[in-house]
Amino acid sequence: MSITPVICGFGHYAPEKIVSNQDLEKLVDTSDEWITTRTGIKQRHIVVPGEQSSSDLALEASKMALADAGLSPKDLTHILFATLTPDTYCPSAACYLEQKLGVRGLMAMDLNAACSGFLYSLQTARAMVALDPDAVVLVAASEVLSSRVNWTDRSTCVLFGDGSGAAVVTADTGAGKAQVLDLILGSDGNLTDLLLIPAGGSRFPLELGGTVDKESYIQLNGPDVFKHAVREMEAITNTLLEKNGLAVEDIDLFVPHQANVRIIDALAKRVGVPPEKVFVNIDRYGNTSAASVPIALSDALQQNAIQPGMRILITTFGAGFTWGSCILQF
Ligand code: UT7
């Protein structure tokens, strides 16, 4: 008998501090007009350095998701933590989150698929539930990208924000909010150098007494990434629809990764989704990488943009490159 995984709770959280485009005008040679027209971003949430780490943000999003599911941390069997900005290189952010949730003994691990991290983790959660129908999997996606942004580089520092989203995944016992109807993923490791943080890993190890330079921060070839993002997101969206015998008209709401409103618009146009069926919140959050999709889902639910009975299509794209697409039936 095949098991249908469901999401039974959603949550999100962003730090209190808001940095507007006008704030960034004081930091680098940029303008609200450039950022708004080129990206759609008006503001982003940023942690106060040293006060909040990725697991702190994930704790708040996870509490909301657990409350939404009517569950407590003690009910969890697994924690999957999607991030490219963990609290520490080692141990995993999942272990910090487990400690902060006041539980122990779970399978807890991080997963790095950059901006596609939530869908990669959701796929892993589906596998956990297929292995064990009693599994209760917390998928937390959380980023403190402000810690890896070069605040003197106008071409990247205006793009990113901090935040977290979470979902609780179980087998379908009738209490689920959304069935995961299908989910497919992809990647291409030939293009790693278009979007990366070069230093700090084994490729360019840290040196004792060495200086921190721009290699330690996010580097992005914007125009090239833009082109690949639109192309791959269109391809995987169409593949998923075709695989499930669905037409784009069968989708009630499209929730894409929030990297750039122009990418979202181009994608929607190519796939044939009308603007009123596309959920956008990049104006308030910026690009929060792995957290972008679960923040958007939880935000859309809070705004009643998602209602019971709706079929939702999600598509992501990130460094690697990685990409994915998913259909949720609410
Ligand atoms: O989340 C993972 C995936 N990430 C993405 O998908 C990001 C994809 N890329 C993008 O979203 C866009 O390429 C960016 C928003 C990053 C850049 O937009 P663009 O339209 O591709 O601009 P560009 O990089 O071609 O730069 C155009 C001009 C340049 O000046 P010149 O050479 O034409 O004189 C830049 O120096 O805009 C300049 N520029 C800025 N000007 C004011 C770059 N950043 C800024 C800035 N403010 N913040």
Side-chain angles (χ1 to χ4, degrees), residues 21 39-44 258 280-286:
N21 292 347
T39 72
I41 301 166
K42 297 298 285 182
Q43 62 171 52
R44 67 288 292 141
Q258 310 281 315
V280 175
N281 68 0
I282 191 173
D283 51 322
R284 288 177 288 126
Y285 290 96

Side-chain angles (χ1 to χ4, degrees), residues 114-155:
C115 302
S116 306
F118 178 74
L119 286 194
Y120 269 69
S121 300
L122 187 57
Q123 188 77 311
T124 312
R126 292 175 85 200
M128 300 300 170
V129 169
L131 279 171
D132 173 8
D134 294 325
V136 180
V137 186
L138 173 64
V139 177
S142 189
E143 302 283 12
V144 179
L145 293 161
S146 59
S147 64
R148 285 305 191 127
V149 158
N150 176 353
W151 289 103
T152 66
D153 174 15
R154 69 175 183 173
S155 69

Side-chain angles (χ1 to χ4, degrees), residues 28-31 34-35 38-39 115 154-156 158-160 195 220-226 229 257-260 262-263 287 289 317-319:
V28 287
D29 180 16
T30 191
S31 64
W34 191 97
I35 303 170
R38 296 288 179 127
T39 72
C115 302
R154 69 175 183 173
S155 69
T156 52
V158 303
L159 304 175
F160 299 100
L195 174 50
L220 164 74
N221 179 328
D224 278 2
V225 174
F226 191 111
H257 171 49
Q258 310 281 315
N260 186 324
R262 290 189 296 129
I263 294 179
N287 180 351
S289 190
F317 181 85

Side-chain angles (χ1 to χ4, degrees), residues 233-298:
M233 288 168 92
E234 178 193 6
I236 198 161
T237 304
N238 287 332
T239 302
L240 186 66
L241 287 172
E242 223 169 275
K243 181 172 174 247
N244 287 275
L246 294 171
V248 77
E249 293 74 29
D250 299 320
I251 299 300
D252 298 301
L253 190 70
F254 184 38
V255 181
H257 171 49
Q258 310 281 315
N260 186 324
V261 79
R262 290 189 296 129
I263 294 179
I264 295 172
D265 289 346
L267 174 64
K269 204 167 165 202
R270 283 183 183 216
V271 175
V273 186
E276 63 275 14
K277 280 192 175 181
V278 183
F279 187 78
V280 175
N281 68 0
I282 191 173
D283 51 322
R284 288 177 288 126
Y285 290 96
N287 180 351
T288 56
S289 190
S292 141
V293 163
I295 289 176
L297 288 171
S298 179

